[in-house]
Amino acid sequence: MRKRFMGAGCAAALCVALAIPLTASGAAEVSGHLSAGQIVNPSGGDRGASGDVTLKVNRAKKRICYEITYRNLEDVTGAHLHKGDRGEIGREILTLFEGDEASPVSGCVRDVRKRIVKRLKREPEAHYVDIDTEAYP
């Protein structure tokens, strides 16, 4: 199943909120556009940057796979999944990748706590993905 989601406010160089409800069984896919205009962090972000993210969420396998493409970002330090509502700086709940990875970046995080996967599938609108850089951690 593939679903689209729209953006919301968050804390890093680029971010996107997960805003379309998903079903709670099996694997599900959500995707969205990353926009610096969604940032609520007072220090701001890289306004010239953009990107796209796709998450494949599988509760049974306790796995979240990702594909992240970004443009106009330098010195990337990682990407994270956060729990937080629109317009709020949420807490980080999962590291997707660390280090200066060239775009596109893809991989899977395994052995994710079932509670995180369950909540992400049940309430995607209460989560977002961000990409951190040295200038905007």
Side-chain angles (χ1 to χ4, degrees):
M1 171 188 314
R2 183 182 175 109
K3 299 280 185 179
R4 294 210 168 270
F5 58 91
M6 57 189 205
C10 67
L14 280 179
C15 68
V16 66
L18 312 177
I20 297 295
L22 303 172
T23 60
S25 62
E29 183 175 296
V30 293
S31 63
H33 183 69
L34 298 164
S35 169
Q38 300 159 337
I39 298 166
V40 297
N41 187 331
S43 65
D46 191 334
R47 296 289 175 190
S50 65
D52 297 284
V53 62
T54 299
L55 298 178
K56 294 179 182 175
V57 183
N58 190 310
R59 182 177 174 199
K61 294 184 178 181
K62 299 190 303 183
R63 180 178 68 199
I64 297 175
C65 294
Y66 60 89
E67 184 169 327
I68 301 171
T69 304
Y70 60 86
R71 294 166 286 288
N72 300 321
L73 277 181
E74 294 181 10
D75 303 318
V76 170
T77 59
H80 306 92
L81 177 67
H82 293 255
K83 183 170 181 0
D85 291 321
R86 182 178 299 267
E88 156 184 319
I89 298 174
R91 66 180 173 86
E92 180 182 317
I93 59 172
L94 186 68
T95 298
L96 298 174
F97 73 87
E98 291 182 316
D100 190 5
E101 298 284 339
S103 179
V105 184
S106 62
C108 292
V109 181
R110 291 174 171 71
D111 296 320
V112 178
R113 291 184 304 181
K114 282 191 176 186
R115 182 176 69 201
I116 291 174
V117 177
K118 181 179 177 181
R119 269 195 246 149
L120 177 59
K121 290 180 76 173
R122 189 182 321 151
E123 298 179 281
E125 70 280 358
H127 298 81
Y128 63 87
V129 170
D130 69 8
I131 300 173
D132 297 331
T133 65
E134 286 183 19
Y136 301 102

